[in-house]
Amino acid sequence: MKKYILLFMFCLLVGQMLGYKDIRHKELERSLHTALQGDVHNVNIASLTDFQWDKAYVFPPYTPVEVMRDELGVQSYKDWSGLGFRDDINLLVFLHGDQIVHYAEIDRAFGEFGQNNSLSFTPSHATLTVQRF
């Protein structure tokens, strides 16, 4: 048992040293899911965020990681959500400068955020139209 505890603590330490940071914003996901309940067709993303961001992107299901890297302009982007293989979520990625600060997984049961491969927006123009099927 002590071996497992030591191994776990070692992994935590290595993660901290490598600068691992959980950037999935689960509170934003809950807020979005609540805002999208019922007959809502528009949602202002900026009103739901509690962090600084300059630009955000919505990626539809099955978007390849290469496409996300090109759109975001961040070649080191890792597909934490596995979006390239999933059809149950849209991915919302927030940038501040040239750094990814947060992402949120939005369940498709609440609708779609557009028809394009990606949809980018800024805090001053952050009202998205939700298409329901």
Side-chain angles (χ1 to χ4, degrees):
M1 183 69 170
K2 286 183 182 180
K3 283 195 292 190
Y4 294 115
I5 292 172
L6 288 174
L7 180 62
F8 177 73
M9 292 179 73
F10 176 75
C11 290
L12 284 176
L13 179 63
V14 169
Q16 287 287 352
M17 289 172 50
L18 294 175
Y20 173 76
K21 180 173 112 177
D22 184 12
I23 61 172
R24 181 173 176 188
H25 202 299
K26 292 183 182 181
E27 185 178 322
L28 175 60
E29 290 174 1
R30 285 189 289 276
S31 296
L32 273 166
H33 290 164
T34 300
L36 294 171
Q37 297 286 332
D39 196 28
V40 174
H41 295 288
N42 294 305
V43 62
N44 185 321
I45 301 296
S47 69
L48 301 176
T49 57
D50 60 355
F51 53 90
Q52 288 191 336
W53 56 282
D54 302 321
K55 198 166 192 178
Y57 293 83
V58 175
F59 294 105
Y62 298 120
T63 302
V65 70
E66 296 80 17
V67 171
M68 290 187 275
R69 285 180 182 151
D70 289 343
E71 285 289 323
L72 295 167
V74 179
Q75 293 306 308
S76 63
Y77 173 75
K78 295 183 181 6
D79 186 8
W80 300 283
S81 67
L83 183 67
F85 304 99
R86 294 179 68 178
D87 67 355
D88 61 326
I89 62 168
N90 290 293
L91 188 64
L92 185 56
V93 181
F94 294 89
L95 290 139
H96 185 63
D98 61 353
Q99 298 292 314
I100 297 171
V101 291
H102 287 290
Y103 75 93
E105 297 177 3
I106 311 303
D107 193 322
R108 288 183 65 207
F110 295 102
E112 295 291 331
F113 290 107
Q115 299 289 350
N116 303 332
N117 276 347
S118 69
L119 176 65
S120 66
F121 55 96
T122 62
S124 60
H125 295 92
T127 300
L128 299 180
T129 301
V130 179
Q131 300 171 356
R132 302 212 195 264
F133 300 103

